[in-house]
Amino acid sequence: MKALVWHGTADVRYDTVPDPEIEQPRDAIVKVTSCAICGSDLHLYDHFMPGMEKGDILGHEFMGEVVDVGAEAKSALKVGDRVVVPFTIWCGECDQCRRGNYSVCERSNRNKAMADKLFGHTTAGLFGYTHLTGGYAGGQAEYVRVPFADRTHVKIPDGLTDEQVLFLGDIFPTGWQAAAQCDIQPTDTVAIWGCGPVGQMTIRSAILLGAKQVIAIDRVPERLSMAKAGGAITINFEEESVVERLNELTGGKGPEKCIDAVGMEAHATATLDSMYDRAKQALALESDRAHVLREMMYVCRPAGTLSIPGVYGGLIDKVPFGMSMNKGLTWRMGQTHVNRWTDDLLRRIQEGQIDPSFVITHSVGLADGPGMYQTFRDKRDGCIKVVLKP
């Protein structure tokens, strides 16, 4: 079969690889009909995430048709079912899965010892996202093996297009969780850093959850335009001071809820702290650029909440933790517990409350994927979200 394969920094190729096969009784094989490039994939493309190996198949946002089912998954799936596959692989039986904490499933990471050593405890297995999270082949391919498939799926009813439901596998529940874990109240101002695909879903989620005002921060005009169309007040951080504008919009008190939809590759290149981060990165003394975290801690109203769906990979420096402690800020973060949210979000799509396809700007064949990685990374051609068709 054909797949997008990682060969090194900024080197993704459209390769021929072996077809996947059933390996465990709870597996299924899915023929991919649509997949997407996620902002998190760019952390792999730029090689900021540890644990990638040449030959790894990329992609953790995909859907398709079930074409083979292991013996122990047949009670939940059959050949011909149309499914979205969550990027977090979950067993449904461990202590964390029973609590609904699917992204920290205790059994799905087959490289558990590696994760235990780095993080203290393992997290769930993820598709196409480094050997630190299991080294599973991803979904930017013609076919995918889905482990624990009797649980790791979202069954799609008839009448919905791929484009309407594809993002249930990642960016829609990720944006929703980022907003939901803020416990948004009708009097809240919610500030969101980053208007990429996850940021766009977060903006619409915060509005659906009833925020008084939503403020979106970015520097890319087309992203800011999409955020504004979704109901947000926008701030271009290259044209005005984020701190001054947020104070103006909140009567000097700051937003109650601040959401980091950027993660480790913040691009605020003109700030002193960003220059510090880049210098330390060059010396391998720091792995992530924490500008957004620092700015959120500074502007957030005392007793407010910081929510972090943006991915961080390792070490950050000069985080003003005393500021956070003395202001009484609450931190919420983590990979998305996808299936905790998908029943509700699928219902909202069916009812017409939201159509997540609004975010798609490019739809191309899988063979064009390597070029689209570069276009997406460099934010060229108005690119906000890429869908690939194997």
Side-chain angles (χ1 to χ4, degrees), residues 64-75:
E65 178 185 335
V66 175
V67 294
D68 198 2
V69 185
E72 295 181 14
K74 290 183 178 179
S75 61

Side-chain angles (χ1 to χ4, degrees), residues 151-178:
R151 297 302 181 96
T152 305
H153 71 269
V154 180
K155 205 170 288 186
I156 301 303
D158 294 336
L160 296 171
T161 67
D162 278 19
E163 286 71 17
Q164 286 177 288
V165 296
L166 170 62
F167 306 131
L168 285 170
D170 183 355
I171 62 169
F172 189 17
T174 295
W176 187 266
Q177 177 173 294

Side-chain angles (χ1 to χ4, degrees), residues 160 164 208 345-355:
L160 296 171
Q164 286 177 288
L208 281 171
L345 298 182
L346 180 58
R347 176 186 60 80
R348 290 176 185 268
I349 293 171
Q350 289 178 294
E351 292 177 352
Q353 294 185 36
I354 184 170
D355 179 356

Side-chain angles (χ1 to χ4, degrees), residues 9-327:
T9 304
D11 186 359
V12 173
R13 303 177 193 175
Y14 180 63
D15 284 350
T16 299
V17 298
D19 288 352
E21 297 178 348
I22 297 288
E23 298 177 15
Q24 299 293 333
R26 294 177 67 182
D27 287 356
I29 304 297
V30 170
K31 180 181 181 181
V32 178
T33 55
S34 296
C35 55
I37 302 176
C38 180
S40 296
D41 288 325
L42 297 183
H43 302 320
L44 308 177
Y45 187 71
D46 291 330
H47 205 186
F48 279 98
M49 289 294 293
M52 290 298 290
E53 297 179 5
K54 288 185 178 180
D56 287 343
I57 298 174
L58 293 160
H60 57 269
E61 196 166 37
F62 59 96
M63 63 176 296
E65 178 185 335
V66 175
V67 294
D68 198 2
V69 185
E72 295 181 14
K74 290 183 178 179
S75 61
L77 286 174
K78 65 180 186 304
V79 171
D81 281 345
R82 187 163 166 251
V83 295
V84 168
V85 181
F87 76 99
T88 47
I89 303 166
W90 58 291
C91 73
E93 297 172 342
C94 70
D95 183 59
Q96 292 288 7
C97 283
R98 287 197 298 270
R99 295 169 185 266
N101 300 327
Y102 307 126
S103 75
V104 287
C105 171
E106 296 169 329
R107 296 176 56 198
S108 62
N109 187 346
R110 58 187 176 184
N111 294 329
K112 178 179 183 301
M114 187 188 305
D116 282 343
K117 186 173 183 180
L118 189 65
F119 295 144
H121 300 85
T122 189
T123 58
L126 306 179
F127 290 98
Y129 213 77
T130 88
H131 290 261
L132 189 61
T133 57
Y136 291 102
Q140 289 167 6
E142 292 180 306
Y143 296 89
V144 185
R145 170 190 167 237
V146 179
F148 298 107
D150 53 323
R151 297 302 181 96
T152 305
H153 71 269
V154 180
K155 205 170 288 186
I156 301 303
D158 294 336
L160 296 171
T161 67
D162 278 19
E163 286 71 17
Q164 286 177 288
V165 296
L166 170 62
F167 306 131
L168 285 170
D170 183 355
I171 62 169
F172 189 17
T174 295
W176 187 266
Q177 177 173 294
Q181 66 189 3
C182 284
D183 188 24
I184 292 172
Q185 302 299 309
T187 55
D188 281 348
T189 292
V190 181
I192 299 164
W193 279 253
C195 297
V198 168
Q200 299 291 342
M201 295 297 168
T202 308
I203 290 164
R204 281 151 177 84
S205 297
I207 289 172
L208 281 171
L209 288 167
K212 183 180 74 175
Q213 64 178 350
V214 174
I215 303 166
I217 302 155
D218 204 293
R219 64 172 181 170
V220 181
E222 52 268 28
R223 291 185 176 198
L224 290 168
S225 294
M226 186 178 282
K228 188 174 182 180
I233 300 167
T234 57
I235 297 175
N236 184 331
F237 67 79
E238 288 191 334
E239 296 178 352
E240 57 185 330
S241 163
V242 173
V243 175
E244 291 178 6
R245 183 73 169 132
L246 286 176
N247 280 332
E248 176 188 330
L249 290 166
T250 59
K253 292 188 173 183
E256 287 89 350
K257 310 292 165 60
C258 297
I259 299 176
D260 173 2
V262 177
M264 66 173 72
E265 292 185 75
H267 290 285
T269 53
T271 62
L272 288 174
D273 68 312
S274 292
M275 288 186 273
Y276 171 85
D277 287 335
R278 286 181 179 274
K280 291 203 73 173
Q281 273 185 329
L283 297 171
L285 297 174
E286 184 178 20
S287 57
D288 303 359
R289 305 196 289 264
H291 171 75
V292 170
L293 287 180
R294 298 186 190 104
E295 193 161 72
M296 290 203 310
M297 294 163 74
Y298 186 76
V299 302
C300 190
R301 187 176 304 205
T305 298
L306 311 182
S307 175
I308 308 166
V311 172
Y312 287 86
L315 303 174
I316 54 178
D317 196 3
K318 297 293 183 288
V319 170
F321 201 75
M323 179 195 299
S324 181
M325 181 271 168
N326 283 288
K327 291 174 74 174

